[in-house]
Amino acid sequence: MKKPVFNVRRIVTFVLFLLICIGLYLLALNSYCDQGGNFDLGVCAITSFIPF
């Protein structure tokens, strides 16, 4: 019998990896904005809501 291509463990691992990547990216942007960086798209306004 064939194994399914997408099983629950693989999906959970992928979503967890994606959340970790997004969190680290937002942390880097928050650090950049705290040092005085400025974006025209308003990214620094969004990262001001991050508590860390």
Side-chain angles (χ1 to χ4, degrees):
M1 206 161 133
K2 266 179 134 174
K3 287 186 177 181
V5 177
F6 296 108
N7 56 11
V8 176
R9 176 180 259 169
R10 185 173 287 178
I11 293 172
V12 169
T13 304
F14 178 73
V15 169
L16 200 63
F17 178 74
L18 194 64
L19 288 175
I20 289 171
C21 288
I22 290 171
L24 289 174
Y25 182 71
L26 288 175
L27 183 64
L29 280 179
N30 190 29
S31 177
Y32 178 74
C33 291
D34 287 345
Q35 293 176 1
N38 193 7
F39 286 104
D40 294 333
L41 299 175
V43 176
C44 289
I46 294 170
T47 59
S48 66
F49 296 114
I50 299 174
F52 46 86

